[in-house]
Amino acid sequence: GAVVSQHPSWVICKSGTSVKIECRSLDFQATTMFWYRQFPKQSLMLMATSNEGSKATYEQGVEKDKFLINHASLTLSTLTVTSAHPEDSSFYICSARGDRGGEAFFGQGTRLTVV
Amino acid sequence: QKEVEQDPGPLSVPEGAIVSLNCTYSNSAFQYFMWYRQYSRKGPELLMYTYSSGNKEDGRFTAQVDKSSKYISLFIRDSQPSDSATYLCAFSSGNTPLVFGKGTRLSVIA
């Protein structure tokens, strides 16, 4: 399957700082990228959908000013958690899909811990 | 009625057993049917992808889609301890976000 690379795999940051997570599609053009959050032993929670060159569409209850998503190219999307707080600690996963629709490929995930 | 229903398990089987995982769905617009495997603290990995109804086989894995019954299955033959993971069914109608089941936790005991 196609490869999606997500970095960093884990990060620890202090409260009030910002953290940027990168998601790259290595061998295909990702016209759509999705960002998810996952709590332990729970399913994926969609945070936002982004199309290359467009503003992201956020799910209800997700603060767009706190979770900044940029999808500036067909191979790169970033999620920036601004002014992080301990309750933002979670597992964040990106997913990318090509222009034919259908299946999506996931990154390895980023474990964020805010102290 | 929930859009997707998946038994969360946990499901525990002995090594070598045949595993059957299932999901039902209610949205007739779904055309793409997927199964993902997720190990703890990792991103989901696409196992099987099917467009429309039918069967698809890949090694020890077989995916079945029955659109008339709105029911999909994943079979794992000769299950191995390395198959122990959470299995997620996922659905899409095209360019919309994937809709996931809650996942079934599988343990294969050596």
Side-chain angles (χ1 to χ4, degrees):
Chain A
V3 179
V4 176
S5 179
Q6 184 176 343
H7 291 282
S9 56
W10 61 271
V11 58
I12 300 173
C13 70
K14 292 184 178 180
S15 286
T17 61
S18 295
V19 173
K20 180 183 283 189
I21 302 170
E22 287 192 352
C23 182
R24 293 181 184 271
S25 57
L26 298 186
D27 51 3
F28 70 104
Q29 293 187 325
T31 52
T32 307
M33 285 194 174
F34 307 96
W35 286 94
Y36 296 86
R37 186 172 180 176
Q38 188 175 36
F39 293 102
K41 297 187 178 181
Q42 294 194 21
S43 191
L44 302 163
M45 184 182 76
L46 180 65
M47 298 174 66
T49 301
S50 72
N51 293 297
E52 184 264 338
S54 303
K55 288 185 178 180
T57 301
Y58 290 82
E59 296 297 301
Q60 192 173 7
V62 178
E63 298 176 59
K64 62 180 181 181
D65 294 330
K66 180 166 190 60
F67 299 100
L68 300 179
I69 292 171
N70 183 281
H71 189 172
S73 78
L74 285 171
T75 60
L76 174 64
S77 176
T78 60
L79 166 67
T80 302
V81 182
T82 63
S83 187
H85 290 282
E87 57 265 31
D88 298 325
S89 298
S90 191
F91 191 55
Y92 293 88
I93 316 173
C94 71
S95 174
R97 185 162 65 190
D99 58 7
R100 76 167 186 175
E103 80 272 48
F105 301 93
F106 285 83
Q108 306 94 316
T110 298
R111 182 157 303 280
L112 170 63
T113 302
V114 184
V115 297
Chain B
Q1 183 182 11
K2 289 183 180 178
E3 196 167 25
V4 174
E5 300 220 34
Q6 180 177 12
D7 186 340
L11 180 62
S12 184
V13 301
E15 184 176 358
I18 296 174
V19 176
S20 173
L21 304 168
N22 312 291
C23 287
T24 58
Y25 65 97
S26 59
N27 189 341
S28 299
F30 289 150
Q31 301 178 64
Y32 302 91
F33 307 90
M34 290 141 283
W35 285 96
Y36 289 87
R37 176 175 62 194
Q38 187 177 22
Y39 292 112
S40 181
R41 299 177 180 241
K42 299 289 185 184
E45 170 194 8
L46 180 65
L47 277 180
M48 301 291 282
Y49 164 71
T50 308
Y51 173 71
S52 195
S53 280
N55 295 354
K56 189 171 186 179
E57 186 173 325
D58 184 2
R60 297 184 294 112
F61 299 90
T62 299
Q64 291 184 349
V65 174
D66 183 347
K67 290 186 72 175
S68 61
S69 301
K70 296 189 176 64
Y71 186 88
I72 71 170
S73 301
L74 177 70
F75 298 96
I76 307 174
R77 291 184 298 280
D78 187 25
S79 56
Q80 303 295 309
S82 58
D83 295 328
S84 298
T86 296
Y87 290 80
L88 299 156
C89 57
F91 304 81
S92 173
S93 56
N95 289 319
T96 54
L98 298 183
V99 178
F100 287 92
K102 292 191 178 300
T104 300
R105 291 174 57 200
L106 171 67
S107 293
V108 181
I109 310 301

